[in-house]
Amino acid sequence: QVQLVESGGGLAQPGGSLRLSCAASGFTFSSYAMSWARQAPGKGLEWVSGIYTDGSATYYADSVKGRFTISRDNAKNTLYLQMNSLQPEDTALYYCAARQGPHIGYDYWGQGTQVTVSS
């Protein structure tokens, strides 16, 4: 059974930090590119960051570039998102997603973890 389980969300103050984790199981994690996406209330899904299968390339939305860092540990089947200098605009439900190949969309999605940035 394929599972992507996000964790690490919570409440942070503006300027604070959180580290999100996504634990993968039920598929060959190292064969999949991974992404983080987020959805704020009343808004559409926003792609945040992506990482190639072996971590050799990373990609970021302009809104988070310089503040967030995506990484993965294939030995642990885990994806991470280090979020620094958090802003209220980062408040959203954060999802991890997996994709194998160039097709549109993603093969697997997690349930999400809530990040709230507020003073």
Side-chain angles (χ1 to χ4, degrees), residues 1-110:
Q1 184 176 9
V2 171
Q3 283 192 298
L4 292 172
V5 181
E6 300 94 337
S7 62
L11 178 64
Q13 295 182 324
S17 298
L18 288 172
R19 189 179 78 155
L20 306 184
S21 298
C22 173
S25 60
F27 67 101
T28 305
F29 180 73
S30 61
S31 295
Y32 285 73
M34 300 294 297
S35 287
W36 289 98
R38 65 188 183 185
Q39 188 167 31
K43 295 187 176 181
L45 194 66
E46 177 190 17
W47 174 83
V48 173
S49 184
I51 188 167
Y52 190 59
T53 54
D54 63 357
S56 61
T58 58
Y59 311 89
Y60 299 93
D62 288 343
S63 58
V64 306
K65 192 172 297 182
R67 300 187 298 118
F68 290 10
T69 303
I70 190 171
S71 62
R72 66 191 296 161
D73 187 338
N74 285 349
K76 296 181 178 179
N77 289 343
T78 303
L79 175 74
Y80 304 97
L81 185 67
Q82 178 66 46
M83 305 186 295
N84 298 327
S85 301
L86 284 164
Q87 303 170 2
E89 295 76 24
D90 297 316
T91 296
L93 187 64
Y94 283 72
Y95 299 93
C96 65
R99 175 164 57 200
Q100 184 178 47
H103 57 267
I104 296 172
Y106 292 86
D107 297 301
Y108 310 121
W109 287 87

